[in-house]
Amino acid sequence: MIWIEILSRHKELISRSRHDDDRGALSIGRGYDNDVVIDDVCIAPQHLLLRRDEHGIWIVEDRGTQNGLLDVHGRRHPRLVLTGNTLFQIGHTWLRVRSASFPVAPERRLTPPQRLWPWVLLLAVAVFGTAALEIWLNQTGEMWLSRYLMPIVSLLVMLVIWISVWAGLSRLLVGAANFVRHSFIALSGLAVMSLFSPLFSWASFAFSSRWLADYSFVAYWLILAATCFYHLRAISPRHLRLKAVIVAALCIAAATVQWLVKDPFNLQHGSGANHPYLKELWPPAARVIAPRPQDVFFRNVEKIKADLDELRKKEPEGESFFDMMMENDE
């Protein structure tokens, strides 16, 4: 006895039919006189002959059809030797043949369904509580309710749109929205981002590192890429390596574009010149490395003053565009 399985284009099982192997040969095609009838307009009325050879091995043969017999790489063959894991294609249909003695994997341990709602609520409280705390720490004037509501409502709307898009894709592709799981993934990524923001701010101050302040955006792109990967994994666990490569490539491209926009080679005239070194103030006790001595600071100031005096003595090389416009107006 053998089983002939019809698979989808994603190599997932659609149907399975049992056939006695006493005859030693079975016909596959679109015609009703076949042992296996497949409704595919790209399959010939008599397309394949499935038979045993003299060694008892199953072989599938093309019966001179126009579209032929294809392997998993799309190459055409007059015949294929079949094992239990051999996939072959005729028309738009994928097939697999297995004997009744084909071994299957042992049963998986039954795990109770995960209750993610408590974790989703906990993460939501942590994320929005952190956002409110950050607003309160940066509060320097009178406390107005609108200063809290606008950022939190904007964050909530953006989060709902993000989760809805991923849940909609999941519903479209696999037939299940998995809204709770996508909410858990999105809130987890947002919680990690909210932790990294003060961490990079403290590290920039503690180690007096301009590099951490200027390139912290790379960490945010990595967190966003990891979040997108887990969203794709929640939709379908297939082709995880391909998904990881695509997400990593997009992350690298986005970080590179942002790095180029910052104009790192011309910080005096580019957009990086207006980039704040430290956005939040930290107490002196948060420093890890010792501050520079006063004499070193004043020596640097004197050097800068001398350079400015030298530049002041030089004649301008030419009129600027602004000067030319002023002269024309006069």
Side-chain angles (χ1 to χ4, degrees):
M1 183 176 62
I2 61 172
W3 293 86
I4 299 179
E5 299 176 340
I6 299 177
L7 312 176
S8 68
R9 59 188 181 93
H10 299 294
K11 313 301 186 297
E12 297 175 349
L13 182 64
I14 297 178
S15 64
R16 180 186 292 124
S17 58
R18 185 178 67 176
H19 301 272
D20 295 329
D21 56 356
D22 296 338
R23 296 165 49 190
L26 297 171
S27 61
I28 301 175
R30 190 160 46 90
Y32 289 104
D33 55 346
N34 292 281
D35 298 296
V36 180
V37 180
I38 301 176
D39 186 15
D40 186 338
V41 294
C42 294
I43 294 178
Q46 287 79 33
H47 202 109
L48 296 179
L49 179 64
L50 181 65
R51 64 176 182 83
R52 285 181 182 271
D53 63 4
E54 60 274 11
H55 303 289
I57 299 175
W58 285 99
I59 297 175
V60 62
E61 296 180 344
D62 181 22
R63 304 179 75 170
T65 60
Q66 180 178 351
N67 295 322
L69 169 65
L70 307 177
D71 62 11
V72 291
H73 303 291
R75 294 189 294 261
R76 184 166 180 167
H77 298 271
R79 66 180 58 83
L80 285 174
V81 178
L82 302 181
T83 64
N85 293 319
T86 303
L87 299 179
F88 57 95
Q89 181 183 6
I90 54 174
H92 295 295
T93 306
W94 287 92
L95 298 171
R96 181 172 59 198
V97 178
R98 286 178 171 175
S99 64
S101 60
F102 183 83
V104 297
E107 75 277 12
R108 296 180 180 178
R109 182 180 295 275
L110 182 63
T111 56
Q114 297 179 346
R115 297 184 59 186
L116 294 178
W117 270 115
W119 292 103
V120 170
L121 295 177
L122 181 62
L123 285 172
V125 171
V127 167
F128 290 102
T130 303
L133 178 62
E134 185 177 359
I135 297 172
W136 179 76
L137 290 175
N138 294 326
Q139 187 80 29
T140 57
E142 296 184 8
M143 186 176 296
W144 296 96
L145 186 60
S146 60
R147 295 181 180 178
Y148 288 86
L149 287 180
M150 290 302 295
I152 293 178
V153 170
S154 300
L155 179 62
L156 178 61
V157 171
M158 184 175 60
L159 186 63
V160 169
I161 293 174
W162 177 271
I163 296 172
S164 300
V165 169
W166 285 108
L169 287 175
S170 179
R171 175 69 177 177
L172 180 65
L173 296 176
V174 298
N178 293 325
F179 187 82
V180 177
R181 182 169 295 276
H182 287 294
S183 301
F184 175 78
I185 295 171
L187 286 169
S188 299
L190 195 57
V192 174
M193 282 190 180
S194 64
L195 291 176
F196 264 81
S197 179
L199 178 63
F200 273 99
S201 176
W202 167 81
S204 301
F205 175 82
F207 297 97
S208 188
S209 173
R210 179 87 189 211
W211 186 87
L212 287 175
D214 287 338
Y215 298 101
S216 60
F217 66 90
V218 177
Y220 296 119
W221 281 115
L222 291 175
I223 297 171
L224 181 62
T227 304
C228 292
F229 172 76
Y230 279 104
H231 278 301
L232 293 172
R233 183 183 178 185
I235 293 176
S236 174
R238 297 180 60 85
H239 308 296
L240 292 181
R241 289 186 179 180
L242 177 61
K243 294 175 182 177
V245 170
I246 294 174
V247 171
L250 293 175
C251 172
I252 294 173
T256 303
V257 169
Q258 185 170 351
W259 177 71
L260 293 174
V261 169
K262 286 171 66 66
D263 195 6
F265 302 109
N266 191 8
L267 290 176
Q268 286 76 23
H269 300 87
S271 59
N274 298 322
H275 179 68
Y277 182 28
L278 290 176
K279 295 181 180 180
E280 293 88 12
L281 296 178
W282 291 84
R287 290 187 62 88
V288 174
I289 62 175
R292 293 183 179 181
Q294 292 184 2
D295 55 345
V296 175
F297 173 78
F298 286 112
R299 280 201 303 268
N300 291 335
V301 171
E302 290 296 331
K303 183 178 181 302
I304 294 173
K305 181 177 179 297
D307 293 338
L308 290 175
D309 291 337
E310 290 294 329
L311 291 174
R312 194 178 294 114
K313 295 176 183 178
K314 294 181 179 181
E315 294 293 333
E317 297 179 357
E319 293 183 333
S320 65
F321 179 76
F322 179 75
D323 295 333
M324 295 173 62
M325 293 295 295
M326 292 297 292
E327 291 179 0
N328 292 333
D329 291 338
E330 294 176 356

